[in-house]
Amino acid sequence: MESHFKSFICVLLSLTTFSCNISEIETELPIPYRGDFLVLHGFICQGEGVRLILQKTVPHSCNECSNKVSNGVVSLYENGTYLFDLNTDDGYLYNSPSSFSPTVGSQYHVKAEADGMACAISSTVSPMQIVSVDTAYISTTETPYKVKVHYCFTDIPFERNQYIVRILAGDEDEFMWGTPNMFDNVIGDEVSNNGIIEGVSIFILNSNLDEIKVMLYHLSSPLVQYLYSRQQNMFSEEDPFGEYPVPVLCNISNGYGFFGSYAKDTYTIRF
Amino acid sequence: MNRLKRLVFISILSSFPAHGGSLQAQSHNVYGYVKYKGSEEGIPYAYCINLNNRGITYTNHEGFFSLKSNGPTTLIFGFVGCQPDTVTISSLKDTLLTIYLNPHELEEVVVAYREKLHMQTILGKIAVPVSKIESSPTFAGVPDILKSLTYLPGITNGKEGFSHLYVRGGTSGQNLFLIDDAPLFTTNHALGLVSSINTEAIGNIDLYKGGFPARYGNCSSSILDIRMREGSRSEHEYKVEIGTLTAGATIGGPIVKGKTSYMVAARTTYFDVINIPKRIKYLDDLEYQLALQNDGISMISLNAFDINTKLSHQRTQNSKQYLNVFSSNDFYSAYNKSQGSDNNSGFNHHNLLVSAGSRRNYSSSLFVSTSAAYSLYSNTFFNELIYKDERDEHNKSSDQAKISYLSVKSSADYYFSSKMHYKFGVDVSAYAATPNIAQEIAKSASGTLRDTTYGQNFIFRAIHISSYVECEYKPFVKTSINIGLRASTFMDQGNEYIKLDPRVSYKTMLSEKTSLKTSYTLNHQFTHLLLSNFKGNPKEVWILSSHRVKPQEVHQIAAGFFGSGHHLDYGIEGFYKKMYNLVEYRFSGVGQNTGNIYDRISSDGQGEAYGVEFLCEKNSGKVRGTLAYTISWSERSFRDINQGEPFPFTYDHRHVLTLTSSITIQKGWEISSSFRFMSGQAFTLTDGYFAGNESFESHNLYSTINGYRLPPYHRMDVMLTHEWTSEKGSLKHFRLSIYNAYNRRNASYAHVNPSSGKLVLTSIFGIIPTISYGIAF
């Protein structure tokens, strides 16, 4: 009996160790390409007008393919009425004239066209109201190279408000146009205390600095969803077990990308 | 018959006649219990045939039956695996019977449904025999109820290796798993390789794919009503089983002979045994430091444990009480240590389920059950990163979701006449759900950088009150109808939903062995499951209906033809299902989630599923088998997903074919196999690429959700079982199980290789042979 039991254990361990075939085997297949489509990324912002990048899609397998479009034209509409074509020097970056100031409450959308490409139209967006930083100051921590930046602003009455607070050195390069980033921490209005929102951020101080900028972004809900989708797209594509990859939110018909709105205020702390 | 053991004990008690007047013209009730000899456990769905009027009555879950008779009568009692017995009642008064049937050895093996498919009124109901689960080849040789149910048409498991259930195009959260009247919120166990329901502890299983009777609520796709078995009230029994993946033990027996019994069944994995040599090695400090300096130390830890405990007490002939406790726990972690940093990530799942109840027949025609239940499910995903270099930082994040349930319910069976049987009841439940508590802690030598908890204020509570009435009516000999209505009130903080769910099933016998059935049901579900997979681990979050999330609403209509003959049971059934207010993550549930979960979901989803199912079974003889085929379609649409356009449900398999067989080679030797073919599941494939710019990172583009199909899936499993009785009288078994016998590398998932720009299909599970050994004494 004892020898039978020992034999059983040996067989059990052998089977477990050597016979199981749990391993990854991969098969590669080409990915179909849907065709060239326009890709728009842009924002409308009080004080900054409309700024937009126009490109096109490329196949996965083509590293040399250019994503630049030919003879691209981007038009701006207000409440369904054509306003003007955006300016461009290189067919890549498009801006509204410096005299243009979007109106809160109006509905804007853009339409993009290029040679050999289907016309792409964004959904309508409304410029966000600027929310100002009421106060901001710094306090020191135990280490000389880190400070705490305290800020405070008043939440405006609205159905739903979401914000990003970013601390930058006075001369620090921002992301292009200082647009909200998917790694920024979004603050929702559920944390307001009788309409007042306060926060603290840790900032690593360069001894040569004499000022810090506190930037408060007031975001539209679709823009928050877009930022979140970019983050989830990155996570989900790293996770092959996911139900399905999360597409980056797109509000462009016949194309890809996102046209959103935000408002920005900057408070400078000098010391 | 001479080779069969036969023992019947009849106790007859006479009570006062139910009505005055002439005894010859009066009807009287014959009622009582059908039980297994020795265990005193009632036999559900045992049949009772009244030879006088050819009427058939079935016992309820407790083995209780009641029928009316107009005079002396002859009754035949029987059940699968037991010798039928005939009893003649000459008394004209209400008569209480207790029939004891002895399980015996038959000339041939019969593994049959307790209730023939063509005989039962409710369309879509299957009384699953536990023996069928134990004889099905399974993953890692562990009998598993959820994986075994996939032999039935219309049912799939979802991703390979997981223990979810997808029934007729529904989601896994639309299934209701009841263990002795308490709901079980999750079934995944040991990374999904087995379900958390231990087959050893199961007494009876009823599966409903459609035609849901009114006594069930808060579900919309399927119901798995499981009754845990009781310990024997006459003698102690022990069983131990050890296999490649799990080891388990079951003990049971009398506490007070003939009155009170207990049953305890426990299982555990022992994957961590593999880590023991490494752990011993690193007890030596020198070895530990050397390993840290060189490649670092990596270890994966996995432990899954579950335990079922049941106490039952037969207070009187007519009254029984029970207490059932179930608990399961899963812990997984993967850590990497080096000189510069330590990283530890993983998850923890926990289930706790407690139910207690009393069942009693108050008269010859009234049977009442009262129960209280508590169920808790929680999961936590964590990640910890420690930098030991000049950064000297400790970062820890965790994400927890939890749901709890407390209920009191009472239900009654009233046998009004031989043609009419009522069920009615009331249920009061309370829910508390915390879908997302996220914590982030970041500390360094300079102090605490961040210590924030999100979502702790988002605790959702609700009260759910429901009542139902159900009637099984047989207007004619060949016709029966099950009609019911369920009324529910769901009240969360400041919001109230009142819903009515009509349920109808109709059956007509075309001949003695064939029947035609049809059904319509409307179901409302007030709890919603959000399911995401994070690095291979399912993350399940339950939320409640509120002013932002309406209750799910599912209409289902079905019709079918069923028959029995030439040792075969067969049926063909068509169904159509329309779903409203489905809930899905707008993007995904992965990653660190903060804030209000209702901001991240879409709750306006609609779904549609329809198809035809065919089933043919041979359940007796030396060769037994099942052939099941389903052709079906299932799609979804959400306003915020796929630009509002309909898209195929992920587990929309156009064709599913299952073929199972069990062959008794000779006494004590059995070989069983199952073959499964499924059309490829839908998946989302990128069909374009955005190369990025100064502000926006490059990423894949998707024109449609689930627009492509993986290659078809097929595999064969084989199992050899040998049972024998030792000299000391203990029953032993040995199983050799081979999962994926011909090593078909089915694609488990697909992803894009960023360097080659090609689609990569990855297969994980190849051939997996396992063995297990068990002994019962």
Side-chain angles (χ1 to χ4, degrees), chain B residues 537-554:
Chain B
N537 306 306
K539 185 179 175 188
E540 300 180 359
V541 176
W542 287 90
I543 61 172
L544 307 178
S545 291
S546 67
H547 65 286
R548 294 180 71 169
V549 178
K550 293 179 184 175
Q552 293 182 49
E553 183 178 306
V554 177

Side-chain angles (χ1 to χ4, degrees), chain A residues 119-253:
Chain A
C119 172
I121 303 175
S122 76
S123 53
T124 57
V125 300
S126 183
M128 301 299 290
Q129 189 171 332
I130 292 176
V131 175
S132 301
V133 177
D134 294 335
T135 59
Y137 63 92
I138 60 173
S139 64
T140 56
T141 64
E142 294 166 2
T143 59
Y145 56 91
K146 285 183 183 174
V147 293
K148 291 182 181 177
V149 180
H150 304 256
Y151 54 84
C152 168
F153 59 94
T154 305
D155 183 32
I156 61 169
F158 193 66
E159 186 179 318
R160 189 81 170 91
N161 289 309
Q162 287 163 294
Y163 304 95
I164 286 173
V165 175
R166 193 184 289 172
I167 314 295
L168 295 173
D171 59 352
E172 187 170 10
D173 286 337
E174 300 174 10
F175 290 103
M176 192 169 186
W177 306 330
T179 53
N181 184 278
M182 68 177 181
F183 297 108
D184 286 317
N185 184 36
V186 176
I187 303 168
D189 57 6
E190 69 270 8
V191 300
S192 79
N193 184 10
N194 292 322
I196 304 296
I197 297 177
E198 295 175 305
V200 181
S201 289
I202 300 293
F203 185 75
I204 298 175
L205 195 64
N206 184 322
S207 57
N208 295 328
L209 288 177
D210 54 8
E211 68 178 28
I212 293 174
K213 287 190 285 188
V214 179
M215 304 178 71
L216 174 63
Y217 295 83
H218 181 206
L219 313 170
S220 65
S221 285
L223 176 55
V224 173
Q225 301 297 326
Y226 167 72
L227 295 174
Y228 191 70
S229 74
R230 282 171 56 193
Q231 188 189 71
Q232 295 298 301
N233 170 264
M234 188 181 74
F235 284 142
S236 66
E237 290 197 343
E238 288 176 354
D239 176 17
F241 289 96
E243 290 295 313
Y244 43 79
V246 177
V248 176
L249 188 67
C250 165
N251 65 354
I252 311 293
S253 59

Side-chain angles (χ1 to χ4, degrees), chain B residues 290-504:
Chain B
L290 274 173
L292 277 183
Q293 282 176 8
N294 296 333
D295 301 321
I297 297 172
S298 299
M299 205 173 295
I300 292 176
S301 182
L302 170 67
N303 181 259
F305 172 79
D306 63 74
I307 183 167
N308 289 270
T309 307
K310 185 162 186 176
L311 291 174
S312 62
H313 174 62
Q314 185 88 37
R315 198 157 63 90
T316 66
Q317 179 82 313
N318 301 324
S319 167
K320 188 167 80 172
Q321 290 74 42
Y322 71 91
L323 170 66
N324 184 42
V325 178
F326 163 76
S327 178
S328 74
N329 197 70
D330 285 77
F331 177 78
Y332 167 85
S333 78
Y335 74 75
N336 296 287
K337 286 191 175 189
S338 66
Q339 278 202 306
S341 66
D342 292 350
N343 179 228
N344 186 17
S345 62
F347 66 84
N348 183 329
H349 295 167
H350 178 58
N351 264 315
L352 175 64
L353 200 149
V354 181
S355 62
S358 175
R359 296 185 174 129
R360 178 179 175 168
N361 64 290
Y362 284 88
S363 72
S364 59
S365 51
L366 180 66
F367 184 92
V368 177
S369 300
T370 304
S371 65
Y374 173 75
S375 182
L376 168 71
Y377 168 64
S378 68
N379 63 57
T380 305
F381 287 76
F382 60 87
N383 187 49
E384 191 171 13
L385 184 59
I386 301 173
Y387 290 109
K388 294 182 278 192
D389 51 21
E390 63 277 1
R391 283 173 289 186
D392 192 21
E393 280 185 17
H394 183 180
N395 301 298
K396 187 174 177 181
S397 63
S398 69
D399 201 345
Q400 185 188 56
K402 193 162 55 174
I403 183 167
S404 61
Y405 162 93
L406 181 65
S407 83
V408 175
K409 61 174 77 168
S410 186
S411 59
D413 279 37
Y414 180 58
Y415 299 82
F416 180 75
S417 70
S418 57
K419 290 186 178 182
M420 208 176 280
H421 171 196
Y422 285 97
K423 293 179 194 282
F424 49 91
V426 65
D427 178 354
V428 180
S429 311
Y431 290 90
T434 313
N436 172 222
I437 300 178
Q439 189 179 40
E440 291 180 18
I441 299 174
K443 293 182 181 177
S444 72
S446 62
T448 300
L449 303 176
R450 186 168 61 251
D451 185 351
T452 313
T453 302
Y454 306 91
Q456 74 276 27
N457 295 325
F458 295 122
I459 302 173
F460 304 94
R461 295 190 173 87
I463 300 287
H464 181 198
I465 302 172
S466 54
S467 59
Y468 71 90
V469 61
E470 182 185 326
C471 175
E472 177 108 4
Y473 177 47
K474 298 175 187 175
F476 312 107
V477 173
K478 294 186 177 180
T479 303
S480 61
I481 303 169
N482 183 298
I483 185 166
L485 182 69
R486 187 177 186 88
S488 300
T489 302
F490 190 85
M491 298 167 283
D492 78 322
Q493 293 129 303
N495 199 63
E496 184 177 7
Y497 290 104
I498 298 174
K499 299 293 179 185
L500 291 176
D501 294 357
R503 316 269 177 92
V504 181

